[in-house]
Structure formats: C-alpha cells, structure tokens
Amino acid sequence: MAHMRYGEPERGVAAHSHPSHHRSMRRRFVGFLGLAVSGVAGAFQLPDLSGSSATVFSAQEEAAVGRAAMREIRERDPSYWDDPALAEYLTGLTQQLAAGLTGRLDLPVFTAFLLKDWTINAFALPGGYLGFHAGLIAATESEAELAAVAAHEVAHVAQHHIAQMLEQQKGASLWVLGSLIIAALAARSGTGQLPEAAAAAGSAAAAQQQLAFSRAFERDADRVGLDLLARAGFAPEGAVRFFGRLLNATRLGETGFPPYLRTHPLTIERIADLDNRIQSGEFRARFGSAGKEALDPWGFAFVRGTVLAERGTAGEALAQARAAAQDPVGQVWRVRAALRAGERAAAKEWLVRFVQQWPEGRWRALWEAEAWRALGNLAEALAVLRRALSAQPESLALRAAAVRTAIAAGEREWAWQQAREGVERYPKRDLAWRLLGEVAAARGDQAWQHRAQGERFALDERWQAALDQFEKARLARREDDIWVAEVQARANRMREAIRAEQRERGRSVR
C-alpha cells in the first residue's frame, strides 16, 4: 500500500494495540505482500516499473494499487470505521478541496474513509484514497484545521509523489512498491517500524532512500495544500494554528508523539514557511484575507461530536461530554455519549432540547434519526429520514440510514424502492449495491442478493468472484427470460475481463 503519511510515513504504534495482535497481523501482511508480488490469482497485479521505458506510473496503475490497498483495509483492519455518514462528510471535504486543482485531467475521484485509531494521523493512498484517524479529528478545533490536513493529503495524490519516488528508484521499483504496501499495512495495524516492515520485503535500503525523498515532497504538499485550502474558501491560518499547536503540545509533553512527527519531525521552519506564505503580498493578492473557519459547520460538528463520543470508555466519554461546551460539537457529543453509556433519559432530554437549534438538512436528520432509533422509536426515526431524503436524494448516507431503518421497521417495499433508486443514481458505488443486497436479503430474494454481490465484486475488479455471483443469480431466477439475459450479459462481461487480465499477465511474464 504505497502511501504518504501526513508529515512523513507513519511508524507509530497505537496505544491500545497488543503485542500478540501485532505478530498475527504482521504474518498476515507479509503473506499479503507475497501474494501481491507473485501475482497469484485474486491479487492485484503490480506494474513492472523496472524497465528503461517505465518512467511513468499511470493513473490506471495507481488506481489498481489504491483499490487493492482499500480492499485490504476494509477486510483486514479492525479499526476500519464503516459509517456512511462520516465517510460522506470526509469525502465531500476532500472533493471540495480537490476542485481547486483546476485544469488537471490526470486526477482520480477522491474518496475518504475513517479509522477508529486514536493516534493523530492521516495518509494518502494511490488512486485518491485518503485515510483519517479518529484521533486527528478529535484533535482539530475547527473545520479549517481538518481541511488543512485534508488539503495536504490531496496535494500528495495530485503531485504523484509516490510515482515520482518509485521512478527515482527504477530497478527496485516493484520491490519498493511492495515494501511500502507491507509497511503501510503493518504500521496501520500497529505492527511498528517502517524499516522493519520494509526489511521483511527485502528492501530496507530502498525504504531509507524513500524517507529522504519525502522531505521534498512534504514541502511540495505544504505549498500546494495551502493554496487548495485558501482556494476552497477556508482560512489558511487553520494550517499554521493546528500544526503549531500540535508541535508545541508535543514538545511540552502534553500529548503522545503523533506518528507523522516520528521519522522526520514537522519542523518549526516548515510552520514558519506556511505562515510567511500566508502573510505575503502575493498570497493575499491571489486569495484575499477573508477565509472562513468553517464552510460546513454542521457537518463538522456532526463528525467531530460523533468521534469524541467514541473516545475512551463509555463513562469517560459521557463525563467529558458533560464538561464540554454546549456548542454544536458538544451537543452531538452529549447525546451520542449518553446513548453509548445507556443513559437513555438524558439522551432523550438533550436530543429534544438541542436538535431544534440545528437547521434542517442531512446532518440534523442523520443525528436525530440515529438517536431515535437507539431510543427504540423507529417510526420517528424513519419519518425524519423520509423528509430529509426527499429534500436531499443525492445523499447516499441519508439513503443508507433510511433504507436500514425501513428494514428494521418492516417497511421492506419502501426500502426496496429507495435501494433501487440508489443503484440507479450511483451504479459505481459499493454502498449502493450493498444496500440493495441487504434489502434483498430481508425480502428473501436470493437472486438479487447474488446479483448485488456480483456488482460489488465487479467494482473491486474481482472478476472471477463477480462471475460466480452472476452465475448464481442467473440460476436463482432461470425462469425469467429478461432477468437471465441481463445477468448473462454481466457474466459475459466478467469473462471478457478475466481473459483480458490473463493476456496482460502473459505479456508481463514474457
């Protein structure tokens, strides 16, 4: 999983990790590396960048590596936080920042995800996948601060830093890429040191060289990220404030040492460079001086309050929430922490009092509906979500909450209609097909269950697995000629993809 961490490649060990867990995860990831490098069926195919003509790591190759890395995180990383609402906010934020990369045709569609890891970190994968640790979000005090980190990671992807790094190492490129994949997976699970992980892949020296390259890349990402932050309308001072506060707190021993400060510290000079750029006449002339601390304050409050309510034990989260300010972040924090602690009466009292202070929209609806559902009032939760989804049908997070609540309430036909509309709107989104599969399972429709799972595998380019599911879907409804024709067409497409992959594999072997 070639990646860039915020500041530098991560070497941190999560505070809650256990040594036996580290050893088992390390063995698993070493096995994954062998699978990736050997090209065993079912693994993604790593591009061979060692030839004299291999001077460019293509967008397609970056996307393939990123998809495979994301699959490993979703399926193997226990801290992966599978929450559509949190992912929708973070993805929207990164896409808003990436919109400032005008005139670029080589950029991926950015997708963000969250990890329930309380270290302060964020990282970028090839293909536009950005990961955020819950600890990072908890440490930010404004949306501008969070956006500053996101902009930096967007810049890493946009500047193709990983591809440049590999190109400079040419003959070792394949192994370097493998080293970075295993290092990222090992570090992500808390297994420890990047050099140790790279050594397991036979490329410790190359990994050390990579660390030297990343100094220049970090400064480049600082520069591009700051421009993106200002271009999106955020106050660029958020970057200086957050990084300066974090560095100062670390020096004073107020926080644990953030992973991205361990190998190559975020220096005072880099923070000063950011501040000097912001104060320069050229920067002010380009962007003005009226950036905002938040462009989506309710979305930020929803996400940060949700994250804070999950930190520590249930009792600790509730005690901290009670002591916090009753601003929008604190309101979400209080209600969610009370629900987590089983304090239903307090949660209901706070919900009724606070929710009226929020404007109508998806963040209020998602927060309110989830609380009502946890309180056992499915009818009220579904009513809230119906109204919100009618106003914002483009929100897949709202649709997911509405569909799942409808299933729980026994409203399966309405859930089916909404799920079908979801795949029509977003045929290339895994969540849309997952929702359809969930409703199909609730309705006892095995044919659609298999078809939805097949589409999910196809999105992940797992052609054989997708073909198997489409064949099962066809057999489950063989008497329906139209159905059979549709599913057969999808099965044939999978066969074509499998043959194309085999041909490509044969060429690479020769």
Side-chain angles (χ1 to χ4, degrees):
M1 189 192 314
H3 74 308
M4 298 295 293
R5 294 275 170 178
Y6 194 86
E8 299 297 338
E10 181 189 23
R11 297 181 58 189
V13 180
H16 59 272
S17 301
H18 190 278
S20 62
H21 172 71
H22 296 176
R23 288 191 293 271
S24 65
M25 292 297 280
R26 183 181 294 115
R27 287 194 296 269
R28 184 183 302 169
F29 293 143
V30 170
F32 164 70
L33 176 66
L35 186 67
V37 174
S38 65
V40 173
F44 64 91
Q45 299 301 303
L46 296 177
D48 181 2
L49 304 178
S50 59
S52 59
S53 62
T55 57
V56 177
F57 192 24
S58 75
Q60 290 79 8
E61 289 165 335
E62 287 195 39
V65 172
R67 280 193 301 271
M70 274 306 307
R71 183 167 70 240
E72 290 299 308
I73 290 174
R74 288 195 307 265
E75 296 179 357
R76 298 175 184 265
D77 194 328
S79 71
Y80 178 67
W81 198 336
D82 187 12
D83 186 308
L86 301 180
E88 184 164 289
Y89 169 80
L90 291 171
T91 294
L93 177 63
T94 57
Q95 290 178 347
Q96 184 176 18
L97 292 161
L101 296 163
T102 56
R104 295 284 297 274
L105 302 178
D106 59 342
L107 295 174
V109 175
F110 285 85
T111 303
F113 59 96
L114 185 62
L115 301 165
K116 195 177 287 189
D117 185 318
W118 299 103
T119 56
I120 301 173
N121 212 356
F123 58 94
L125 304 174
Y129 298 96
L130 305 185
F132 295 84
H133 286 202
L136 174 76
I137 294 174
T140 59
E141 294 184 359
S142 72
E143 190 179 32
E145 294 184 5
L146 177 58
V149 179
H152 184 101
E153 299 305 327
V154 167
H156 274 313
V157 176
Q159 298 300 94
H160 300 284
H161 287 156
I162 299 165
Q164 294 180 56
M165 179 178 63
L166 295 175
E167 185 179 344
Q168 293 177 63
Q169 299 179 20
K170 296 192 185 301
S173 292
L174 181 60
W175 283 101
V176 170
L177 181 55
S179 299
L180 294 173
I181 290 172
I182 185 61
L185 287 169
R188 168 79 291 288
S189 67
T191 60
Q193 307 301 313
L194 173 61
E196 176 188 356
S203 190
Q208 292 296 334
Q209 187 179 4
Q210 180 266 337
L211 295 179
F213 292 150
S214 63
R215 290 183 175 88
F217 291 153
E218 290 303 323
R219 292 186 181 278
D220 190 35
D222 286 346
R223 174 185 60 81
V224 175
L226 191 65
D227 285 0
L228 293 178
L229 188 67
R231 193 170 290 132
F234 286 104
E237 291 81 4
V240 176
R241 186 169 58 251
F242 178 67
F243 303 133
R245 185 175 70 248
L246 184 61
L247 181 61
N248 186 56
T250 302
R251 290 168 59 199
L252 295 175
E254 296 174 8
T255 69
F257 212 55
Y260 66 77
L261 296 183
R262 290 186 176 174
T263 53
H264 304 289
L266 181 65
T267 64
I268 293 174
E269 287 74 18
R270 271 178 61 189
I271 295 172
D273 286 346
L274 287 171
D275 192 38
N276 289 337
R277 288 198 64 231
I278 293 170
Q279 302 305 326
S280 70
E282 179 187 358
F283 191 88
R284 294 298 184 185
R286 292 173 61 199
F287 301 114
S289 57
K292 297 181 179 180
E293 286 298 316
L295 300 182
D296 185 2
W298 304 102
F300 177 74
F302 173 89
V303 171
R304 186 163 184 256
T306 298
V307 165
L308 289 169
E310 292 294 319
R311 186 172 61 177
T313 67
E316 290 168 345
L318 182 55
Q320 292 167 358
R322 286 180 182 274
Q326 292 186 29
D327 59 2
V329 172
Q331 291 170 1
V332 176
W333 190 359
R334 278 199 181 198
V335 173
R336 288 187 176 274
L339 288 170
R340 183 182 170 205
E343 298 286 346
R344 295 165 59 89
K348 184 175 181 180
E349 176 192 343
W350 287 331
L351 175 68
V352 172
R353 187 200 320 169
F354 295 147
V355 78
Q356 300 303 319
Q357 301 175 31
W358 284 53
E360 294 285 349
R362 61 178 163 167
W363 304 120
R364 169 177 166 169
L366 286 164
W367 172 39
E368 184 180 6
E370 186 171 336
W372 283 124
R373 184 171 176 180
L375 290 167
N377 193 336
L378 288 174
E380 183 63 27
L382 187 55
V384 167
L385 291 167
R386 281 179 185 265
R387 290 194 298 270
L389 186 59
S390 177
Q392 292 183 277
E394 74 282 357
S395 171
L396 194 51
L398 270 176
R399 191 171 299 275
V403 166
R404 288 166 173 165
T405 303
I407 292 173
E411 298 281 350
R412 294 174 184 171
E413 290 310 308
W414 185 83
W416 180 248
Q417 294 169 10
Q418 301 309 311
R420 288 294 299 271
E421 183 178 331
V423 296
E424 289 170 5
R425 282 179 174 271
Y426 300 109
K428 295 185 178 181
R429 295 283 295 277
D430 176 84
L431 178 58
W433 286 106
R434 191 191 337 170
L435 292 173
L436 192 70
E438 289 174 11
V439 185
R443 299 171 84 219
D445 190 337
Q446 291 188 357
W448 266 111
Q449 275 185 269
H450 289 305
R451 185 169 178 179
Q453 187 60 53
E455 295 294 353
R456 294 182 67 195
F457 282 140
L459 288 174
D460 221 10
E461 296 189 358
R462 299 160 80 168
W463 311 123
Q464 185 59 57
L467 175 59
D468 293 342
Q469 291 296 318
F470 288 135
E471 287 294 342
K472 290 178 181 178
R474 181 178 62 81
L475 293 174
R477 194 172 291 171
R478 68 178 74 191
E479 73 285 352
D480 186 336
D481 292 342
I482 295 177
W483 171 272
V484 168
E486 290 176 350
V487 177
Q488 188 64 59
R490 293 296 290 142
N492 291 340
R493 175 66 187 87
M494 298 305 102
R495 292 188 180 92
E496 292 173 7
I498 291 170
R499 287 193 291 268
E501 192 174 73
Q502 290 171 341
R503 288 194 296 271
E504 184 62 31
R505 191 177 302 164
R507 281 196 291 269
S508 66
V509 169
R510 290 194 296 271

